[in-house]
Amino acid sequence: MKQMLDRLDTSSWEQYKHSLGEAMEFANDMGISEDEITQLAQTFGSYLANNISPDIPENKALKELWEVATPEEQATLTSLMIKLAKNS
């Protein structure tokens, strides 16, 4: 988890989405399935929401949404972030 955090560039929203996309490409190259990536991303989202202080307004909004979301809504947020990352 620490290695993934070290690779995330959260200096701006665009850089954040781009670095998430790179992490997903890396996972795909390692043969990790889309379902596994989604499960890992949801676990990662929970970790970030509980342990990392948001450094940009968009991350603060994501953290607040994550904290009030049901598990199903968190899965939706995860799917949306994956879509954003793929399109960056």
Side-chain angles (χ1 to χ4, degrees):
M1 189 75 67
K2 174 103 170 80
Q3 289 176 341
M4 291 176 74
L5 286 173
D6 289 343
R7 290 184 181 186
L8 282 180
D9 181 350
T10 60
S11 60
S12 74
W13 182 242
E14 290 304 315
Q15 285 301 115
Y16 182 53
K17 291 187 302 182
H18 179 75
S19 63
L20 284 175
E22 286 180 342
M24 289 176 49
E25 284 179 32
F26 179 73
N28 280 329
D29 290 346
M30 292 185 64
I32 299 173
S33 73
E34 292 290 321
D35 287 339
E36 290 172 310
I37 290 172
T38 300
Q39 290 173 353
L40 287 170
Q42 193 159 358
T43 300
F44 191 62
S46 291
Y47 176 83
L48 289 175
N50 293 323
N51 297 293
I52 303 300
S53 177
D55 50 358
I56 57 176
E58 295 87 351
N59 287 350
K60 183 176 186 211
L62 281 173
K63 178 181 175 73
E64 290 179 11
L65 287 169
W66 193 268
E67 289 172 343
V68 299
T70 65
E72 293 81 18
E73 292 166 334
Q74 289 174 348
T76 299
L77 283 171
T78 300
S79 295
L80 292 170
M81 287 303 297
I82 287 171
K83 283 182 181 182
L84 279 175
K86 285 182 179 180
N87 293 320
S88 293

Coordinates of all heavy atoms in Angstrom, one line a residue:
M1 N 0.8 -1.2 0.0 CA 0.0 0.0 0.0 C 0.9 1.3 0.0 O 0.6 2.2 -0.7 CB -0.9 0.0 1.2 CG -2.0 1.0 1.3 SD -3.4 0.8 0.2 CE -4.2 -0.6 0.8
K2 N 1.9 1.2 0.8 CA 2.8 2.4 0.9 C 3.5 2.7 -0.5 O 3.6 3.9 -0.9 CB 3.9 2.1 1.9 CG 5.0 3.2 2.0 CD 4.8 4.1 3.2 CE 6.0 5.0 3.4 NZ 6.0 6.2 2.6
Q3 N 3.9 1.7 -1.2 CA 4.5 1.9 -2.5 C 3.5 2.6 -3.5 O 3.8 3.4 -4.3 CB 4.9 0.6 -3.1 CG 6.2 0.0 -2.4 CD 6.6 -1.3 -3.0 OE1 5.8 -2.0 -3.6 NE2 7.8 -1.7 -2.8
M4 N 2.2 2.2 -3.4 CA 1.2 2.8 -4.2 C 1.0 4.2 -3.9 O 0.9 5.1 -4.7 CB -0.1 2.0 -4.1 CG -0.1 0.6 -4.8 SD -1.6 -0.3 -4.5 CE -2.7 0.6 -5.7
L5 N 1.0 4.5 -2.6 CA 0.8 5.9 -2.1 C 2.0 6.8 -2.6 O 1.8 7.9 -3.0 CB 0.7 6.0 -0.6 CG -0.6 5.5 0.0 CD1 -0.5 5.5 1.5 CD2 -1.8 6.4 -0.5
D6 N 3.2 6.2 -2.5 CA 4.4 7.0 -2.9 C 4.3 7.3 -4.4 O 4.9 8.3 -4.8 CB 5.6 6.2 -2.6 CG 5.9 6.1 -1.1 OD1 5.3 6.9 -0.4 OD2 6.7 5.2 -0.7
R7 N 3.7 6.5 -5.2 CA 3.6 6.8 -6.7 C 2.5 7.7 -7.1 O 2.5 8.2 -8.2 CB 3.4 5.4 -7.4 CG 4.6 4.5 -7.3 CD 4.3 3.3 -8.2 NE 5.5 2.5 -8.1 CZ 5.6 1.4 -8.8 NH1 4.7 1.0 -9.6 NH2 6.7 0.6 -8.7
L8 N 1.5 8.0 -6.2 CA 0.4 8.9 -6.5 C 0.9 10.3 -6.5 O 1.5 10.8 -5.5 CB -0.7 8.7 -5.5 CG -1.6 7.5 -5.7 CD1 -2.7 7.6 -4.7 CD2 -2.3 7.5 -7.1
D9 N 0.6 11.0 -7.6 CA 1.0 12.5 -7.6 C -0.3 13.2 -7.4 O -1.2 13.3 -8.2 CB 1.5 12.8 -9.0 CG 1.9 14.3 -9.2 OD1 1.6 15.1 -8.3 OD2 2.5 14.6 -10.2
T10 N -0.4 13.8 -6.2 CA -1.6 14.5 -5.8 C -1.4 16.0 -5.9 O -2.2 16.8 -5.2 CB -2.1 14.1 -4.4 OG1 -1.1 14.4 -3.5 CG2 -2.5 12.6 -4.4
S11 N -0.5 16.5 -6.6 CA -0.2 17.9 -6.7 C -1.4 18.7 -7.4 O -1.5 19.9 -7.2 CB 1.1 18.2 -7.4 OG 1.1 17.7 -8.7
S12 N -2.1 18.0 -8.2 CA -3.3 18.6 -8.9 C -4.3 17.4 -9.2 O -3.9 16.3 -9.2 CB -2.9 19.3 -10.2 OG -2.6 18.4 -11.2
W13 N -5.5 17.8 -9.5 CA -6.5 16.8 -9.8 C -6.1 16.0 -11.1 O -6.2 14.8 -11.2 CB -7.9 17.5 -10.0 CG -9.0 16.6 -10.3 CD1 -9.8 16.7 -11.4 CD2 -9.5 15.6 -9.5 NE1 -10.8 15.7 -11.4 CE2 -10.6 15.0 -10.2 CE3 -9.2 15.0 -8.3 CZ2 -11.4 14.0 -9.7 CZ3 -10.0 14.0 -7.8 CH2 -11.0 13.4 -8.5
E14 N -5.6 16.8 -12.1 CA -5.2 16.1 -13.4 C -4.1 15.1 -13.1 O -4.1 14.0 -13.7 CB -4.8 17.2 -14.4 CG -6.0 18.0 -14.9 CD -7.1 17.1 -15.5 OE1 -6.9 16.1 -16.2 OE2 -8.3 17.4 -15.1
Q15 N -3.1 15.5 -12.3 CA -2.0 14.6 -12.0 C -2.4 13.4 -11.2 O -2.0 12.3 -11.4 CB -0.9 15.4 -11.3 CG 0.0 16.3 -12.2 CD 0.6 15.5 -13.3 OE1 0.3 15.7 -14.5 NE2 1.5 14.6 -13.0
Y16 N -3.4 13.6 -10.3 CA -3.9 12.5 -9.5 C -4.6 11.5 -10.4 O -4.3 10.3 -10.3 CB -4.9 13.1 -8.5 CG -5.5 12.1 -7.6 CD1 -4.7 11.2 -6.8 CD2 -6.9 12.1 -7.4 CE1 -5.3 10.3 -5.9 CE2 -7.5 11.2 -6.5 CZ -6.7 10.3 -5.8 OH -7.3 9.4 -5.0
K17 N -5.5 12.0 -11.3 CA -6.1 11.1 -12.2 C -5.1 10.3 -13.1 O -5.3 9.1 -13.4 CB -7.2 11.8 -13.1 CG -8.3 12.3 -12.3 CD -9.4 12.9 -13.2 CE -8.9 14.0 -14.1 NZ -9.9 14.6 -14.9
H18 N -4.1 11.1 -13.6 CA -3.1 10.5 -14.5 C -2.3 9.4 -13.7 O -2.1 8.3 -14.3 CB -2.2 11.6 -15.0 CG -1.1 11.0 -15.9 ND1 -1.3 10.6 -17.2 CD2 0.2 10.8 -15.6 CE1 -0.2 10.2 -17.7 NE2 0.8 10.3 -16.8
S19 N -1.9 9.7 -12.5 CA -1.2 8.7 -11.8 C -2.0 7.4 -11.4 O -1.5 6.3 -11.4 CB -0.5 9.3 -10.5 OG -1.4 9.7 -9.6
L20 N -3.3 7.7 -11.2 CA -4.2 6.5 -10.9 C -4.3 5.7 -12.2 O -4.3 4.4 -12.2 CB -5.6 7.0 -10.6 CG -5.8 7.5 -9.1 CD1 -7.2 8.0 -9.0 CD2 -5.5 6.4 -8.1
G21 N -4.4 6.3 -13.4 CA -4.4 5.6 -14.6 C -3.1 4.8 -14.8 O -3.2 3.6 -15.3
E22 N -2.0 5.4 -14.5 CA -0.7 4.6 -14.6 C -0.7 3.4 -13.7 O -0.2 2.3 -14.1 CB 0.4 5.5 -14.3 CG 0.7 6.5 -15.4 CD 1.9 7.4 -15.1 OE1 2.3 7.5 -13.9 OE2 2.4 8.0 -16.0
A23 N -1.2 3.5 -12.5 CA -1.3 2.4 -11.6 C -2.2 1.3 -12.1 O -1.9 0.1 -12.0 CB -1.8 2.9 -10.2
M24 N -3.3 1.7 -12.8 CA -4.2 0.7 -13.3 C -3.5 0.0 -14.5 O -3.7 -1.2 -14.7 CB -5.5 1.4 -13.8 CG -6.3 1.8 -12.6 SD -7.8 2.6 -13.0 CE -8.5 1.6 -14.2
E25 N -2.8 0.7 -15.4 CA -2.1 0.1 -16.5 C -1.1 -0.9 -15.9 O -0.9 -2.0 -16.5 CB -1.4 1.2 -17.3 CG -2.3 1.9 -18.2 CD -1.6 3.0 -19.0 OE1 -0.4 2.8 -19.3 OE2 -2.2 4.0 -19.3
F26 N -0.3 -0.5 -14.9 CA 0.6 -1.4 -14.3 C 0.0 -2.7 -13.8 O 0.5 -3.8 -14.0 CB 1.3 -0.7 -13.1 CG 2.4 -1.5 -12.4 CD1 3.6 -1.8 -13.1 CD2 2.1 -2.0 -11.2 CE1 4.5 -2.6 -12.4 CE2 3.1 -2.8 -10.5 CZ 4.3 -3.0 -11.1
A27 N -1.2 -2.5 -13.1 CA -1.9 -3.7 -12.7 C -2.4 -4.6 -13.8 O -2.3 -5.8 -13.8 CB -3.1 -3.3 -11.8
N28 N -2.9 -4.0 -14.9 CA -3.3 -4.7 -16.1 C -2.1 -5.5 -16.7 O -2.2 -6.7 -17.0 CB -3.9 -3.8 -17.1 CG -5.3 -3.5 -16.8 OD1 -6.0 -4.3 -16.2 ND2 -5.8 -2.3 -17.2
D29 N -0.9 -4.8 -16.7 CA 0.3 -5.5 -17.3 C 0.7 -6.6 -16.4 O 1.3 -7.6 -17.0 CB 1.4 -4.4 -17.4 CG 1.2 -3.4 -18.5 OD1 0.3 -3.6 -19.3 OD2 1.9 -2.4 -18.5
M30 N 0.4 -6.6 -15.1 CA 0.8 -7.7 -14.3 C -0.3 -8.8 -14.3 O -0.1 -9.8 -13.6 CB 0.9 -7.2 -12.8 CG 2.1 -6.3 -12.7 SD 2.3 -5.8 -11.0 CE 2.7 -7.4 -10.2
G31 N -1.3 -8.7 -15.1 CA -2.3 -9.7 -15.3 C -3.4 -9.7 -14.3 O -4.2 -10.7 -14.1
I32 N -3.6 -8.6 -13.6 CA -4.6 -8.5 -12.6 C -5.9 -8.2 -13.3 O -6.0 -7.3 -14.2 CB -4.3 -7.4 -11.5 CG1 -3.0 -7.7 -10.8 CG2 -5.5 -7.2 -10.6 CD1 -2.5 -6.6 -9.9
S33 N -7.0 -8.9 -13.0 CA -8.3 -8.7 -13.7 C -9.0 -7.4 -13.3 O -8.6 -6.8 -12.3 CB -9.2 -9.9 -13.4 OG -9.7 -9.8 -12.1
E34 N -9.9 -7.0 -14.2 CA -10.7 -5.8 -13.9 C -11.4 -5.9 -12.5 O -11.5 -4.9 -11.8 CB -11.7 -5.5 -15.0 CG -11.0 -5.1 -16.3 CD -10.4 -3.7 -16.2 OE1 -11.0 -2.8 -15.6 OE2 -9.3 -3.6 -16.8
D35 N -12.0 -7.0 -12.2 CA -12.7 -7.2 -11.0 C -11.7 -7.1 -9.8 O -12.1 -6.5 -8.8 CB -13.4 -8.6 -10.9 CG -14.6 -8.7 -11.8 OD1 -15.2 -7.6 -12.2 OD2 -15.0 -9.8 -12.1
E36 N -10.5 -7.7 -9.9 CA -9.6 -7.6 -8.8 C -9.1 -6.1 -8.7 O -8.9 -5.7 -7.5 CB -8.4 -8.5 -9.1 CG -8.7 -9.9 -9.0 CD -7.5 -10.8 -9.5 OE1 -7.0 -10.6 -10.6 OE2 -7.1 -11.7 -8.7
I37 N -8.9 -5.4 -9.8 CA -8.5 -4.0 -9.7 C -9.6 -3.2 -9.0 O -9.3 -2.4 -8.1 CB -8.3 -3.4 -11.1 CG1 -7.0 -4.0 -11.7 CG2 -8.2 -1.9 -11.1 CD1 -6.7 -3.7 -13.2
T38 N -10.9 -3.5 -9.3 CA -12.0 -2.8 -8.7 C -12.0 -3.0 -7.2 O -12.1 -2.1 -6.4 CB -13.3 -3.2 -9.3 OG1 -13.3 -2.8 -10.7 CG2 -14.5 -2.5 -8.6
Q39 N -11.8 -4.3 -6.8 CA -11.7 -4.6 -5.4 C -10.6 -4.0 -4.7 O -10.7 -3.4 -3.5 CB -11.7 -6.2 -5.2 CG -13.0 -6.9 -5.6 CD -12.8 -8.4 -5.5 OE1 -11.7 -8.9 -5.3 NE2 -13.9 -9.1 -5.7
L40 N -9.4 -4.0 -5.3 CA -8.2 -3.3 -4.7 C -8.5 -1.8 -4.6 O -8.1 -1.2 -3.6 CB -7.0 -3.6 -5.6 CG -6.4 -5.0 -5.5 CD1 -5.4 -5.2 -6.6 CD2 -5.8 -5.2 -4.1
A41 N -9.1 -1.2 -5.6 CA -9.4 0.2 -5.6 C -10.3 0.6 -4.5 O -10.1 1.6 -3.9 CB -9.9 0.6 -7.0
Q42 N -11.3 -0.3 -4.2 CA -12.2 0.0 -3.2 C -11.5 -0.1 -1.8 O -11.7 0.8 -0.9 CB -13.4 -0.9 -3.2 CG -14.6 -0.4 -2.3 CD -15.9 -1.0 -2.7 OE1 -16.0 -1.7 -3.7 NE2 -16.9 -0.7 -1.9
T43 N -10.7 -1.1 -1.6 CA -9.9 -1.2 -0.4 C -9.0 0.0 -0.2 O -8.8 0.6 0.8 CB -9.1 -2.5 -0.4 OG1 -10.0 -3.6 -0.5 CG2 -8.2 -2.6 0.8
F44 N -8.4 0.4 -1.3 CA -7.5 1.5 -1.3 C -8.2 2.8 -1.0 O -7.7 3.7 -0.2 CB -6.8 1.6 -2.7 CG -5.7 2.6 -2.8 CD1 -4.5 2.4 -2.0 CD2 -5.7 3.7 -3.6 CE1 -3.5 3.3 -2.1 CE2 -4.7 4.6 -3.7 CZ -3.5 4.4 -3.0
G45 N -9.4 3.0 -1.5 CA -10.2 4.2 -1.2 C -10.5 4.3 0.3 O -10.5 5.3 0.8
S46 N -10.9 3.1 0.9 CA -11.1 3.1 2.3 C -9.9 3.5 3.1 O -9.9 4.3 4.0 CB -11.6 1.7 2.8 OG -12.9 1.5 2.3
Y47 N -8.7 3.0 2.7 CA -7.5 3.3 3.3 C -7.2 4.8 3.2 O -6.8 5.4 4.2 CB -6.3 2.5 2.7 CG -5.0 2.8 3.3 CD1 -4.6 2.2 4.5 CD2 -4.2 3.8 2.7 CE1 -3.3 2.6 5.0 CE2 -2.9 4.1 3.2 CZ -2.5 3.5 4.4 OH -1.3 3.9 4.9
L48 N -7.3 5.3 2.0 CA -7.1 6.8 1.8 C -8.0 7.6 2.7 O -7.5 8.6 3.4 CB -7.2 7.1 0.4 CG -6.2 6.6 -0.6 CD1 -6.5 7.0 -2.0 CD2 -4.8 7.2 -0.2
A49 N -9.3 7.3 2.7 CA -10.2 8.0 3.5 C -10.0 8.0 5.0 O -10.2 9.0 5.7 CB -11.7 7.5 3.2
N50 N -9.4 6.9 5.4 CA -9.2 6.8 6.9 C -7.8 7.2 7.3 O -7.6 7.5 8.5 CB -9.4 5.3 7.3 CG -10.8 4.9 7.2 OD1 -11.7 5.6 7.5 ND2 -11.0 3.6 6.8
N51 N -6.8 7.3 6.4 CA -5.5 7.5 6.8 C -4.7 8.7 6.2 O -3.7 9.1 6.7 CB -4.6 6.3 6.5 CG -5.1 5.1 7.3 OD1 -5.0 5.1 8.5 ND2 -5.7 4.1 6.7
I52 N -5.3 9.3 5.2 CA -4.5 10.3 4.5 C -5.3 11.6 4.5 O -6.5 11.7 4.3 CB -4.3 10.0 3.0 CG1 -3.6 8.6 2.9 CG2 -3.6 11.1 2.2 CD1 -2.2 8.6 3.5
S53 N -4.6 12.7 4.9 CA -5.2 14.0 4.9 C -5.3 14.6 3.5 O -4.3 14.6 2.8 CB -4.4 15.0 5.8 OG -4.9 16.3 5.8
P54 N -6.5 15.0 3.1 CA -6.7 15.4 1.7 C -5.9 16.7 1.5 O -5.9 17.6 2.3 CB -8.2 15.7 1.5 CG -8.7 15.7 2.9 CD -7.8 15.0 3.8
D55 N -5.2 16.8 0.4 CA -4.3 17.9 0.1 C -4.8 18.8 -1.0 O -4.2 19.9 -1.1 CB -2.9 17.4 -0.3 CG -2.9 16.3 -1.3 OD1 -4.0 15.9 -1.8 OD2 -1.8 15.8 -1.7
I56 N -5.8 18.4 -1.7 CA -6.4 19.3 -2.7 C -7.9 19.2 -2.5 O -8.4 18.3 -2.0 CB -6.0 19.0 -4.1 CG1 -6.3 17.5 -4.5 CG2 -4.5 19.3 -4.4 CD1 -6.0 17.1 -5.9
P57 N -8.7 20.3 -2.9 CA -10.1 20.3 -2.7 C -10.8 19.1 -3.2 O -11.8 18.6 -2.6 CB -10.6 21.6 -3.4 CG -9.4 22.4 -3.5 CD -8.2 21.5 -3.6
E58 N -10.4 18.6 -4.4 CA -11.1 17.4 -5.0 C -10.9 16.2 -4.1 O -11.9 15.4 -3.9 CB -10.5 17.1 -6.4 CG -10.8 18.2 -7.4 CD -9.8 19.3 -7.4 OE1 -8.9 19.4 -6.6 OE2 -9.9 20.1 -8.4
N59 N -9.7 16.0 -3.5 CA -9.5 14.9 -2.6 C -10.3 15.0 -1.3 O -10.8 14.0 -0.8 CB -8.0 14.7 -2.3 CG -7.3 14.2 -3.4 OD1 -7.8 13.7 -4.4 ND2 -6.0 14.2 -3.3
K60 N -10.5 16.3 -0.9 CA -11.3 16.5 0.3 C -12.8 16.1 0.0 O -13.4 15.4 0.8 CB -11.3 17.9 0.7 CG -12.0 18.2 2.0 CD -11.9 19.6 2.5 CE -12.6 19.7 3.8 NZ -13.2 20.9 4.1
A61 N -13.3 16.5 -1.2 CA -14.6 16.1 -1.6 C -14.8 14.6 -1.7 O -15.8 14.0 -1.2 CB -15.0 16.8 -2.9
L62 N -13.8 13.9 -2.3 CA -13.9 12.4 -2.4 C -13.9 11.8 -1.0 O -14.6 10.9 -0.7 CB -12.7 11.9 -3.1 CG -12.8 12.0 -4.7 CD1 -11.4 11.6 -5.3 CD2 -13.9 11.2 -5.2
K63 N -13.0 12.3 -0.1 CA -13.0 11.8 1.3 C -14.3 11.9 2.0 O -14.9 11.0 2.6 CB -11.9 12.5 2.1 CG -11.8 12.0 3.6 CD -10.7 12.8 4.3 CE -10.7 12.5 5.8 NZ -10.1 11.2 6.1
E64 N -14.9 13.1 1.9 CA -16.2 13.3 2.5 C -17.3 12.5 1.9 O -18.2 11.9 2.6 CB -16.6 14.8 2.4 CG -15.7 15.7 3.3 CD -16.0 17.2 3.2 OE1 -17.1 17.5 2.7 OE2 -15.2 17.9 3.8
L65 N -17.3 12.3 0.6 CA -18.3 11.4 -0.1 C -18.1 10.0 0.4 O -19.1 9.3 0.7 CB -18.2 11.5 -1.6 CG -18.7 12.8 -2.3 CD1 -18.2 12.9 -3.7 CD2 -20.2 12.9 -2.1
W66 N -16.9 9.6 0.4 CA -16.6 8.2 0.8 C -17.1 7.9 2.3 O -17.6 6.9 2.5 CB -15.0 7.9 0.8 CG -14.7 6.5 0.9 CD1 -14.4 5.8 2.0 CD2 -14.6 5.6 -0.2 NE1 -14.1 4.5 1.7 CE2 -14.2 4.3 0.4 CE3 -14.8 5.7 -1.6 CZ2 -14.1 3.2 -0.4 CZ3 -14.6 4.5 -2.4 CH2 -14.3 3.3 -1.8
E67 N -16.9 8.9 3.1 CA -17.2 8.7 4.5 C -18.7 8.6 4.8 O -19.2 7.9 5.7 CB -16.6 9.8 5.4 CG -15.1 9.7 5.5 CD -14.5 10.9 6.2 OE1 -15.1 12.0 6.3 OE2 -13.3 10.8 6.6
V68 N -19.5 9.2 3.9 CA -21.0 9.2 4.1 C -21.7 8.1 3.2 O -22.8 7.8 3.4 CB -21.7 10.5 3.8 CG1 -21.2 11.6 4.8 CG2 -21.5 11.0 2.4
A69 N -20.9 7.5 2.3 CA -21.4 6.5 1.4 C -21.6 5.2 2.0 O -20.9 4.8 2.9 CB -20.5 6.4 0.2
T70 N -22.7 4.5 1.5 CA -22.9 3.1 1.9 C -21.8 2.3 1.1 O -21.2 2.8 0.2 CB -24.3 2.6 1.5 OG1 -24.4 2.7 0.0 CG2 -25.4 3.4 2.1
P71 N -21.6 1.0 1.4 CA -20.7 0.2 0.7 C -21.1 0.1 -0.8 O -20.1 0.2 -1.7 CB -20.8 -1.2 1.3 CG -21.2 -0.9 2.7 CD -22.1 0.3 2.6
E72 N -22.3 0.1 -1.1 CA -22.7 0.1 -2.6 C -22.4 1.4 -3.2 O -21.9 1.4 -4.4 CB -24.2 -0.1 -2.7 CG -24.7 -1.5 -2.3 CD -24.8 -1.7 -0.7 OE1 -24.9 -0.6 0.0 OE2 -24.8 -2.8 -0.3
E73 N -22.5 2.5 -2.5 CA -22.2 3.8 -3.1 C -20.7 4.0 -3.2 O -20.2 4.6 -4.2 CB -22.8 4.9 -2.2 CG -24.3 5.0 -2.3 CD -24.9 5.9 -1.2 OE1 -24.3 6.0 -0.1 OE2 -26.0 6.4 -1.4
Q74 N -19.9 3.4 -2.3 CA -18.5 3.4 -2.4 C -18.0 2.6 -3.6 O -17.1 3.0 -4.3 CB -17.8 2.8 -1.1 CG -18.0 3.7 0.1 CD -17.5 3.1 1.4 OE1 -17.2 1.9 1.4 NE2 -17.3 3.9 2.4
A75 N -18.7 1.5 -3.9 CA -18.4 0.7 -5.1 C -18.7 1.6 -6.4 O -17.9 1.6 -7.3 CB -19.3 -0.5 -5.2
T76 N -19.7 2.4 -6.3 CA -20.0 3.3 -7.5 C -18.9 4.4 -7.6 O -18.4 4.6 -8.7 CB -21.4 4.0 -7.3 OG1 -22.4 3.0 -7.2 CG2 -21.7 4.9 -8.4
L77 N -18.5 5.0 -6.5 CA -17.4 5.9 -6.5 C -16.2 5.3 -7.1 O -15.4 5.9 -7.8 CB -17.2 6.5 -5.1 CG -18.1 7.5 -4.6 CD1 -17.9 7.8 -3.1 CD2 -18.1 8.8 -5.4
T78 N -15.9 4.1 -6.6 CA -14.7 3.4 -7.1 C -14.8 3.2 -8.6 O -13.8 3.5 -9.4 CB -14.6 2.0 -6.5 OG1 -14.4 2.2 -5.0 CG2 -13.4 1.2 -7.0
S79 N -15.9 2.8 -9.1 CA -16.1 2.6 -10.6 C -15.9 3.9 -11.3 O -15.3 3.9 -12.4 CB -17.5 2.0 -10.9 OG -17.6 0.7 -10.3
L80 N -16.5 5.0 -10.8 CA -16.3 6.3 -11.4 C -14.9 6.7 -11.5 O -14.4 7.3 -12.5 CB -17.2 7.3 -10.7 CG -18.7 7.1 -10.9 CD1 -19.5 8.0 -10.0 CD2 -19.1 7.2 -12.4
M81 N -14.1 6.5 -10.4 CA -12.7 6.9 -10.3 C -11.9 6.1 -11.3 O -11.0 6.6 -12.0 CB -12.2 6.8 -8.9 CG -12.6 7.8 -8.0 SD -12.3 9.5 -8.5 CE -10.5 9.6 -8.5
I82 N -12.3 4.8 -11.5 CA -11.6 4.0 -12.4 C -11.8 4.5 -13.9 O -10.9 4.6 -14.7 CB -12.0 2.5 -12.3 CG1 -11.4 1.9 -11.0 CG2 -11.6 1.7 -13.5 CD1 -11.9 0.5 -10.7
K83 N -13.1 4.9 -14.2 CA -13.4 5.4 -15.5 C -12.6 6.7 -15.7 O -12.1 6.9 -16.8 CB -14.9 5.7 -15.6 CG -15.7 4.5 -15.8 CD -17.2 4.8 -16.0 CE -18.0 3.6 -16.2 NZ -19.4 3.9 -16.5
L84 N -12.6 7.6 -14.7 CA -11.8 8.9 -14.8 C -10.3 8.6 -15.1 O -9.7 9.2 -16.0 CB -11.9 9.7 -13.6 CG -13.2 10.5 -13.4 CD1 -13.2 11.2 -12.1 CD2 -13.3 11.6 -14.5
A85 N -9.8 7.6 -14.4 CA -8.4 7.3 -14.5 C -8.1 6.7 -15.9 O -7.0 7.1 -16.5 CB -7.9 6.3 -13.4
K86 N -9.0 5.9 -16.4 CA -8.7 5.3 -17.7 C -8.8 6.4 -18.8 O -8.1 6.2 -19.8 CB -9.8 4.3 -18.0 CG -9.6 3.0 -17.3 CD -10.6 2.0 -17.6 CE -10.4 0.6 -16.9 NZ -11.5 -0.3 -17.3
N87 N -9.5 7.4 -18.6 CA -9.7 8.5 -19.6 C -8.7 9.6 -19.5 O -8.8 10.6 -20.2 CB -11.1 9.0 -19.6 CG -12.1 7.9 -20.1 OD1 -11.8 7.2 -21.0 ND2 -13.2 7.9 -19.4
S88 N -7.8 9.5 -18.5 CA -6.8 10.6 -18.3 C -5.6 10.4 -19.2 O -5.2 9.4 -19.6 CB -6.3 10.6 -16.9 OG -7.4 10.9 -16.1

